[in-house]
Amino acid sequence: MGITDEDTDVEVQLQRVSAKVIQELQTSIPLFLRKNHPGTPSHERIRRFVKQSSTAKIERLVDTFQEWPQLLDSTLERVVQPLVTAFVEYLQAHAKFYRERSPMKPVDPLPRAICKILYTLCKVRGPKVIARFFTSEPATLEPMLDAFDLWNHSAQDGKFPEQLIWEEKYVMLLWLSHLALTPFDLESISTPDEGKYCSLPGKFSIPPKIPVVARSLLALGLRYLSSASKEREAAVSLLVRLSLRPDMQHLQLHRLSVEWVLSSLADPVDGNTHDTTYFNAGILSYLADFLRSGDSRTVASFLYPIFQCMQAITVKRVGTADDILGSAVVRKLVIKIHRHLALHLHSEASSSVINQFDDPDLLGSIIDYLLISLGDKDNLVRLTASKSVSVVAQRLDTELTSQLVDDIAQRLEENTVLERPETFATNGSIHGEGPATARRDLSAVDPLSWHGLVLTLSHLIFRHCAPQENLSTIIGLLVDALDFEQRSPTGTSHGAGVRDAACFGIWSLARKYSTAELLCITTSNVHPRALYQEFHSVIEFLATELVITATLDPEGNIRRGASAALQELVGRHPDLVPNGIGIIQIVDYHAVGLRSRAMNDVTLQAAALGALYLKAISVGMLSWRAIKSPVAAVRRDAADVVGHIIRRYSPDSTILPLLRLPMSLDNPMARQIDIPRQRTIDEWHGLYLAHAAAIREGCFKGSVLVRCLPTTMGNLFLLEDHGIFGIQDIVAHGKESELAIEALYQARYDVDILHSCIKHCTGQTLDVVRSAAASVIGMLEEQGQQLLIRRWLLDIQGGRNDQLRSGGSNVNLITVIGTVLQLPELKAVPADLMALQIDVLVALLSNGSRIDTKCAVIHILQCHCWATDARGGYSHLKDYFKKPLIDSLNDHTVDSRGDIGSEIRIAATEIISRTKEALQWDGSFSQKAFGIVYGLSVEKLDKVRGCAWSCIRSNRLASVEDMQRSASWSTTSVEYLTFMLNLGKRDRLLVPMIRGFVTIASVGSEMLVRNSRVALINFLDGCSPDEVLTLRVSLAQIIQSEVPNGRLLRPGLDVFSFLLDVDPAGQEHAPFYQWRALLDALPKIRLTAADALWMAVPNPLLKTLDLSQPTSILRPDVQEALKFSQRAIRNRD
């Protein structure tokens, strides 16, 4: 099931459940707002408090429509209207009870709950839509203001925080802005009470006859103009609507407001007490909204002062301009102000006013600023600037719009370089070559400027204001943008935004321009790539470019955007795209969602539709999106697609001039590999993979290209610092085709390339090289096999000193040898080569070798190197490995990564496990080796214990009954550890086992220490005094041998002190051995011992012991309890 499955599509699921969710929403709202009350005429009344869980439930229901808000439209009135009615009813009847607290928790007052839901509706559907359902009765205005004052008044004296939460303030301010549109003069609905919200900023001059309600609204809006949250937006709307009312204009409130804003921007210290970014955003939002909402006659007198203020901030940078423009949101608002200024300049009322000033070219200055803003560092600013340029261009005449497009095109040409793909020569060295045979190198351009400029062209097309004579230039730039990619030094992509803007532009072109307009464009003048094929129209050319983008682009949203643009192009201009219906069914919006599917499946299906798409995909496969992609997996997928295309379509066909590999290197693809240009390692890798795919298909046997591959591949080895990433894949394909081996191993069987691969490769490439080496060995004769293996062994032997210092290629060679030696194709190995092999491996297992080298050698021994074999085996050389094996079993190397020697111990244990029967080890070695294995079976690392226990079981060192009984045991359980101690005593290997046991009983995890010590107590219960004494003496000898800084010194001393605590000397009964455990340092050991003693002899004094006390305080009570138990046992006997 893919991501395009209908059952998992969010939109489909939302459509299915929307009716049910809407029904639940309509049912929940009345129960949420009202409760039954028999004493009222309607037998119900509104609630004063609402559970927060009920509010959250309704919010979740509304949030369901976040992705598809239009589904709410049919029921919006039935949802919002009850909320508005209940809020107004609460204002009239219960406003004074708002600040009361309910004994039930957690609850909210009803207005707060309603405001939360209304804000969620505004978030989902938009505040303008929701505000239409607010009551607009003038009688609600003053009660709303009074409620705002009453519910929030504790904040006015500055001693307490505000009581209203931000959702309440946002919704109530939005509601007040809606009520400010009342058609009646505010004087007629204002009361003499001055109200609470009457304090204004010091520099704000208000008309002397302003109504009290207007003064309160003005003070309230100014108060939240500098808010950091959503209420700032509602406050701006309130102030703009208030100042543009006719009665307020008559009192000159709009003039006073604009003057206050301009003075605040020019002199923020004297003009207001707010110097924050939020205040700047608030007053600039007011200016932008004022210019947007006011008619030209109203705002005409303010245009030039506002323009001068903006120039002082953006161009002259006077005062605190840098602080003001430090925020992207503020720069966005400045751009919107410039846009509205430009729109008002076209009106007759504004023109008569502007002509009075000395600078009539305001429009040119505004457009210049908007074009500069297209290169802003923030995406939000670029989006706003591009849209603003297109909106302004709609008001310009055709000549000015054409000049604007030429200016944008000229800016896009900056820092571009023309290069010819065959020679990679720049425009400074191309003689007699025009743009038709060259391509643009965009590596030096600014990606942010390109994003803004391309997005502007797309908006111009979307608004159908791009002149017809400029369409060929615009389309050529959009095609370049569709292929735009830049990467930072850290590998971050900066081209996705440019390509996305280009997709939007082509989609708009197909949607907004008629077929006749597009057919008037000459295809050859659009782009150099249009000359590779004979396109009948620009529509065909755009269709092929969109197919490439939709199938190969690395970004999923761009692939889907190109698919949508292709569908629009085919649908709006029928019968002009070859196989149009078929191509949009293949390059489907959902089919290109996954990159791997788009590249591996959709490309091949599209190529099968005809030569037009086949050639386009062939060209696209050699681009940065596929063969030259920075992602290795994508390069490999692209090479596979190249191979499929060559297999399906004849390589001799003229349809594949870029993929066809002729009898000479006079070919674009061949030259790209042969010329030692400054390429990235990713490009080398992809280009060699493409050749490997071509060779693998077997279409070019005996060609010059194949015979010259080793020479051309030598260019890769100039990049020593980067290693090899491409050649190994070609070598690996030797398993599938003789031609790759023919290319690499000519008459003299040159193995330099493969050897260099082994030297440089790591990780995944090492696996590929191992497969390649196996292929090579399988094809060589017996003498060639021996020579190659001997060379590898001599290289390891000669480079051992360097490898001891820094590691390197020896590990790779050892790993490859391990792969080769287990091949059935390997012929008999002579005795001298076998001796050389053993000498090298034994030397590498010495103590001076690195741990990764030892791991590689142990892997060879573990798998096949000296196990009995059908070819004669190596069992007679087993004596060479006795000492290295013992050393490996005792390897406890520790570095910053931890106990890395554990890998060696595990591998050596597996060797012992597999070869005991086959090699018939002598008794002394077997006793010594299995003694160490017994110790490993009780050491602190879980994986080592498990491996050692498997070795003991596989060699049947325990009885059948014991093995069946222990099948379900964990290696951390008390049963397992007790069993292993008894097994070591039985096999007379207890002393070497103790070397491992001291680590688990001292420095392991807490649970492991506890279980191991309980197991030791249980083991001592079954030992005679002589055996306990022997154990103590052996442990003392281990400790003495580890002095002064041995690995087992500290854990040995810890376990020895524990043995002294549980010493059974002088006791007649085994249960008394555990009395000393009551004084153990670990409280959990004490509890375990107390439980065991209670089961042996029920002693009431045990219940009175406080086992958490220090040992010195606990000891007398333990001795008293011990005496009681002794008397009880004697009486029982």
Side-chain angles (χ1 to χ4, degrees):
M1 304 292 284
I3 64 170
T4 62
D5 190 86
E6 186 177 352
D7 294 333
T8 61
D9 195 288
V10 176
E11 295 179 356
V12 174
Q13 290 181 348
L14 182 57
Q15 282 183 318
R16 291 174 178 173
V17 303
S18 60
K20 181 179 178 181
V21 175
I22 289 174
Q23 181 64 35
E24 185 178 358
L25 191 61
Q26 293 176 350
T27 305
S28 302
I29 292 292
L31 298 176
F32 170 79
L33 296 173
R34 302 181 184 275
K35 62 181 178 179
N36 294 330
H37 193 270
T40 59
S42 60
H43 299 288
E44 62 181 12
R45 69 176 182 183
I46 61 170
R47 302 176 185 272
R48 290 169 56 186
F49 298 96
V50 179
K51 293 182 179 179
Q52 293 179 1
S53 59
S54 301
T55 309
K57 175 185 176 183
I58 297 179
E59 288 182 288
R60 285 194 298 270
L61 291 175
V62 177
D63 277 331
T64 306
F65 299 93
Q66 185 82 36
E67 296 294 331
W68 209 334
Q70 293 83 1
L71 292 175
L72 275 174
D73 288 351
S74 60
T75 189
L76 207 53
E77 183 176 1
R78 294 191 292 274
V79 171
V80 178
Q81 199 61 52
L83 296 170
V84 172
T85 303
F87 192 94
V88 174
E89 187 175 341
Y90 188 94
L91 283 179
Q92 297 170 351
H94 305 290
K96 60 183 178 180
F97 302 112
Y98 175 85
R99 300 189 64 196
E100 291 185 358
R101 291 295 175 257
S102 172
M104 298 184 300
K105 292 184 179 181
V107 295
D108 284 331
L110 181 64
R112 177 171 296 181
I114 291 176
C115 288
K116 285 182 177 180
I117 297 173
L118 287 176
Y119 166 72
T120 305
L121 287 165
C122 291
K123 177 183 68 175
V124 172
R125 195 60 189 94
K128 294 181 181 179
V129 176
I130 302 301
R132 295 201 309 255
F133 299 100
F134 290 164
T135 179
S136 57
E137 297 180 5
T140 313
L141 180 56
E142 282 201 324
M144 184 80 71
L145 277 171
D146 293 338
F148 204 109
D149 177 20
L150 176 65
W151 299 346
N152 206 37
H153 81 280
S154 63
Q156 300 307 305
D157 53 13
K159 297 180 180 179
F160 303 99
E162 296 186 353
Q163 299 298 307
L164 294 175
I165 63 173
W166 68 269
E167 289 100 331
E168 291 177 282
K169 289 182 284 188
Y170 171 74
V171 172
M172 294 180 74
L173 286 170
L174 187 64
W175 202 332
L176 287 170
S177 70
H178 183 68
L179 291 171
L181 297 175
T182 179
F184 306 102
D185 286 349
L186 294 181
E187 181 68 31
S188 64
I189 60 175
S190 179
T191 61
D193 185 12
E194 293 186 357
K196 284 283 185 180
Y197 287 101
C198 291
S199 59
L200 299 173
K203 291 292 184 179
F204 196 97
S205 301
I206 61 173
K209 296 182 180 181
I210 188 171
V212 172
V213 67
R215 183 185 180 96
S216 298
L217 289 172
L218 183 62
L220 189 62
L222 292 175
R223 176 181 180 82
Y224 292 103
L225 196 62
S226 59
S227 174
S229 54
K230 291 284 288 185
E231 57 261 34
R232 182 180 68 244
E233 299 176 9
V236 169
S237 178
L238 173 61
L239 290 173
V240 171
R241 291 181 177 183
L242 180 64
S243 60
L244 290 177
R245 286 179 55 85
D247 54 343
M248 295 297 105
Q249 289 188 42
H250 181 70
L251 296 174
Q252 298 297 310
L253 180 60
H254 66 307
R255 181 180 59 80
L256 296 173
S257 299
V258 172
E259 290 176 354
W260 173 75
V261 169
L262 296 180
S263 64
S264 298
L265 290 171
D267 190 7
V269 177
D270 297 332
N272 58 80
T273 58
H274 306 278
D275 58 351
T276 64
T277 301
Y278 303 116
F279 178 73
N280 294 329
I283 59 178
L284 288 171
S285 295
Y286 173 82
L287 272 184
D289 209 7
F290 177 82
L291 292 172
R292 180 184 63 84
S293 303
D295 57 71
S296 297
R297 190 175 301 276
T298 302
V299 303
S301 60
F302 305 109
L303 294 181
Y304 194 72
I306 293 175
F307 173 77
Q308 285 185 316
C309 180
M310 294 299 103
Q311 287 289 100
I313 294 175
T314 59
V315 179
K316 299 178 182 178
R317 298 295 181 101
V318 298
T320 59
D322 292 335
D323 296 334
I324 294 175
L325 297 176
S327 168
V329 175
V330 172
R331 296 199 301 275
K332 171 190 172 183
L333 293 171
V334 171
I335 290 174
K336 295 178 80 171
I337 292 173
H338 280 83
R339 179 176 73 192
H340 295 310
L341 286 173
L343 295 178
H344 281 295
L345 289 176
H346 285 81
S347 64
E348 295 182 4
S350 302
S351 300
S352 60
V353 176
I354 293 300
N355 291 333
Q356 302 175 8
F357 297 98
D358 298 334
D359 187 9
D361 191 20
L362 302 184
L363 183 60
S365 300
I366 292 173
I367 293 177
D368 285 341
Y369 175 73
L370 294 178
L371 292 177
I372 293 173
S373 299
L374 293 175
D376 194 274
K377 64 179 181 179
D378 288 296
N379 189 50
L380 175 66
V381 180
R382 296 196 300 274
L383 294 177
T384 306
S386 62
K387 182 179 179 181
S388 299
V389 172
S390 64
V391 171
V392 172
Q394 278 187 299
R395 303 290 184 90
L396 302 177
D397 56 35
T398 304
E399 183 180 357
L400 290 178
T401 306
S402 179
Q403 293 178 7
L404 177 62
V405 172
D406 291 340
D407 190 5
I408 294 175
Q410 184 177 0
R411 292 171 185 263
L412 286 170
E413 292 289 346
E414 293 178 357
N415 298 322
T416 60
V417 179
L418 293 177
E419 67 174 12
R420 197 170 58 204
E422 292 83 354
T423 62
F424 309 104
T426 63
N427 54 355
S429 59
I430 297 177
H431 301 289
E433 301 289 345
T437 57
R439 67 181 182 185
R440 287 189 180 92
D441 180 6
L442 306 178
S443 59
V445 302
D446 181 13
L448 301 182
S449 296
W450 259 70
H451 176 230
L453 293 167
V454 172
L455 192 59
T456 303
L457 292 177
S458 301
H459 275 293
L460 290 173
I461 294 175
F462 180 74
R463 299 179 188 278
H464 201 279
C465 56
Q468 177 71 30
E469 59 268 20
N470 297 106
L471 283 183
S472 60
T473 302
I474 293 176
I475 294 175
L477 292 171
L478 290 179
V479 171
D480 279 334
L482 206 61
D483 193 34
F484 184 89
E485 174 65 356
Q486 269 194 20
R487 289 192 171 269
S488 68
T490 59
T492 304
S493 174
H494 294 306
V498 179
R499 301 197 301 276
D500 187 61
C503 288
F504 170 59
I506 298 176
W507 177 87
S508 302
L509 184 73
R511 188 178 183 86
K512 299 295 182 178
Y513 286 80
S514 65
T515 302
E517 290 175 310
L518 295 181
L519 290 178
C520 292
I521 302 173
T522 304
T523 308
S524 59
N525 296 334
V526 172
H527 197 273
R529 282 205 292 270
L531 299 177
Y532 289 167
Q533 293 178 253
E534 293 183 0
F535 294 102
H536 295 91
S537 66
V538 71
I539 298 176
E540 277 191 15
F541 174 61
L542 289 176
T544 59
E545 293 296 323
L546 289 174
V547 168
I548 295 174
T549 302
T551 54
L552 301 180
D553 198 274
E555 300 295 333
N557 64 313
I558 298 175
R559 292 195 301 273
R560 288 185 161 183
S563 174
L566 178 64
Q567 184 175 359
E568 198 74 22
L569 192 69
V570 173
R572 298 274 178 175
H573 311 283
D575 302 327
L576 291 177
V577 177
N579 295 307
I581 301 299
I583 194 65
I584 62 174
Q585 288 176 341
I586 292 174
V587 189
D588 179 65
Y589 179 86
H590 299 290
V592 298
L594 285 176
R595 188 179 187 184
S596 58
R597 180 181 176 186
M599 177 173 289
N600 297 331
D601 300 335
V602 179
T603 51
L604 296 176
Q605 296 175 23
L609 289 181
L612 181 72
Y613 305 113
L614 177 59
K615 179 172 279 190
I617 290 173
S618 301
V619 173
M621 281 296 166
L622 298 179
S623 68
W624 63 270
R625 295 182 176 112
I627 288 297
K628 300 175 185 177
S629 170
V631 182
V634 174
R635 298 194 296 270
R636 293 189 175 95
D637 287 343
D640 291 339
V641 174
V642 169
H644 287 304
I645 290 177
I646 293 176
R647 184 174 67 249
R648 289 189 183 184
Y649 311 101
S650 171
D652 296 326
S653 172
T654 57
I655 261 176
L656 295 173
L658 296 179
L659 291 180
R660 189 169 71 88
L661 305 178
M663 295 298 291
S664 68
L665 294 179
D666 188 18
N667 174 276
M669 183 174 176
R671 283 196 299 273
Q672 287 191 33
I673 290 184
D674 191 50
I675 298 174
R677 176 180 174 257
Q678 288 186 350
R679 292 188 176 277
T680 65
I681 193 64
D682 298 336
E683 291 182 9
W684 284 111
H685 181 221
L687 291 171
Y688 280 111
L689 283 178
H691 276 80
I695 295 173
R696 189 172 67 250
E697 298 306 326
C699 301
F700 311 107
K701 186 172 183 180
S703 68
V704 174
L705 178 64
V706 172
R707 295 196 300 273
C708 295
L709 267 179
T711 303
T712 58
M713 288 174 183
N715 294 326
L716 267 179
F717 304 119
L718 300 175
L719 306 175
E720 291 288 338
D721 294 336
H722 297 284
I724 307 303
F725 289 90
I727 182 63
Q728 72 276 13
D729 292 278
I730 298 181
V731 179
H733 289 149
K735 291 190 297 184
E736 304 171 23
S737 173
E738 257 183 39
L739 295 172
I741 302 302
E742 175 189 343
L744 295 174
Y745 301 97
Q746 303 174 51
R748 59 189 182 91
Y749 291 99
D750 186 0
V751 296
D752 292 335
I753 294 177
L754 179 60
H755 195 70
S756 297
C757 291
I758 297 173
K759 179 180 178 181
H760 292 88
C761 62
T762 57
Q764 180 183 0
T765 54
L766 178 58
D767 296 334
V768 177
V769 171
R770 288 169 59 190
S771 301
S775 301
V776 172
I777 288 293
M779 299 191 64
L780 295 177
E781 298 296 333
E782 178 178 347
Q783 184 179 2
Q785 292 177 353
Q786 296 175 9
L787 289 175
L788 184 56
I789 296 175
R790 187 183 300 276
R791 174 180 176 178
W792 288 340
L793 291 172
L794 291 175
D795 286 341
I796 294 173
Q797 191 177 47
R800 181 171 177 270
N801 292 332
D802 294 335
Q803 182 268 339
L804 292 180
R805 291 192 298 269
S806 59
S809 61
N810 281 355
V811 176
N812 294 345
L813 284 172
I814 296 168
T815 304
V816 170
I817 290 175
T819 301
V820 167
L821 291 177
Q822 61 182 335
L823 294 175
E825 296 89 352
L826 186 63
K827 311 301 188 295
V829 180
D832 60 334
L833 183 59
M834 181 70 65
L836 176 62
Q837 173 185 321
I838 298 302
D839 290 341
V840 170
L841 296 181
V842 170
L844 290 174
L845 279 177
S846 64
N847 292 331
S849 297
R850 290 167 52 93
I851 197 68
D852 51 355
T853 304
K854 290 184 179 181
C855 285
V857 175
I858 285 290
H859 176 73
I860 295 178
L861 300 181
Q862 175 186 350
C863 295
H864 43 261
C865 185
W866 43 274
T868 299
D869 188 271
R871 295 189 294 266
Y874 310 105
S875 58
H876 61 287
L877 301 171
K878 63 186 179 183
D879 292 339
Y880 288 95
F881 295 99
K882 287 182 179 180
K883 184 180 184 302
L885 266 181
I886 295 297
D887 293 340
S888 299
L889 289 172
N890 286 318
D891 194 313
H892 293 274
T893 305
V894 177
D895 65 2
S896 58
R897 295 171 290 178
D899 187 359
I900 58 174
S902 61
E903 300 295 333
I904 302 296
R905 300 199 299 275
I906 291 174
T909 303
E910 291 178 351
I911 291 175
I912 296 295
S913 175
R914 296 183 181 183
T915 60
K916 180 176 184 295
E917 296 292 337
L919 299 184
Q920 299 178 357
W921 297 102
D922 56 73
S924 60
F925 175 81
S926 181
Q927 184 78 2
K928 186 174 183 180
F930 278 99
I932 301 174
V933 171
Y934 272 48
L936 297 178
S937 67
V938 290
E939 78 150 42
K940 65 178 181 179
L941 292 182
D942 294 346
K943 58 182 180 180
V944 179
R945 287 199 310 276
C947 180
W949 171 232
S950 298
C951 175
I952 293 172
R953 295 187 61 182
S954 64
N955 285 277
R956 298 183 295 276
L957 299 179
S959 64
V960 176
E961 180 181 350
D962 289 338
M963 292 176 65
Q964 292 176 349
R965 183 161 49 91
S966 63
S968 61
W969 288 346
S970 167
T971 57
T972 61
S973 64
V974 175
E975 294 84 357
Y976 167 78
L977 297 172
T978 305
F979 169 76
M980 290 307 303
L981 289 172
N982 288 316
L983 187 63
K985 182 178 73 172
R986 187 203 69 181
D987 294 342
R988 298 181 181 178
L989 295 174
L990 187 59
V991 174
M993 179 176 282
I994 291 298
R995 297 184 65 88
F997 190 84
V998 294
T999 63
I1000 201 175
S1002 176
V1003 295
S1005 63
E1006 181 181 353
M1007 180 188 69
L1008 210 52
V1009 171
R1010 182 177 66 249
N1011 291 349
S1012 61
R1013 293 193 177 189
V1014 172
L1016 183 59
I1017 292 172
N1018 294 337
F1019 171 71
L1020 293 175
D1021 287 344
C1023 292
S1024 65
D1026 293 339
E1027 291 173 335
V1028 173
L1029 180 61
T1030 302
L1031 180 64
R1032 287 169 51 190
V1033 171
S1034 301
L1035 183 56
Q1037 292 174 350
I1038 293 174
I1039 294 172
Q1040 185 176 8
S1041 65
E1042 295 290 327
V1043 174
N1045 296 315
R1047 178 180 61 89
L1048 300 178
L1049 179 60
R1050 183 171 179 178
L1053 290 172
D1054 193 9
V1055 174
F1056 193 81
S1057 64
F1058 176 76
L1059 283 177
L1060 294 178
D1061 285 339
V1062 297
D1063 180 17
Q1067 306 295 337
E1068 298 178 356
H1069 298 275
F1072 292 111
Y1073 302 166
Q1074 301 187 15
W1075 282 95
R1076 290 292 183 92
L1078 291 175
L1079 304 176
D1080 192 89
L1082 294 175
K1084 292 184 178 181
I1085 295 293
R1086 299 179 183 181
L1087 294 174
T1088 304
D1091 292 339
L1093 290 169
W1094 176 264
M1095 295 299 297
V1097 180
N1099 188 339
L1101 295 179
L1102 288 173
K1103 295 183 177 181
T1104 64
L1105 294 177
D1106 185 1
L1107 298 178
S1108 63
Q1109 292 181 338
T1111 304
S1112 58
I1113 299 176
L1114 187 61
R1115 188 180 302 275
D1117 296 334
V1118 171
Q1119 292 175 349
E1120 185 66 27
L1122 173 60
K1123 294 177 181 179
F1124 180 89
S1125 293
Q1126 289 174 335
R1127 289 194 301 268
I1129 291 177
R1130 283 196 295 269
N1131 294 334
R1132 185 179 60 187
D1133 294 341

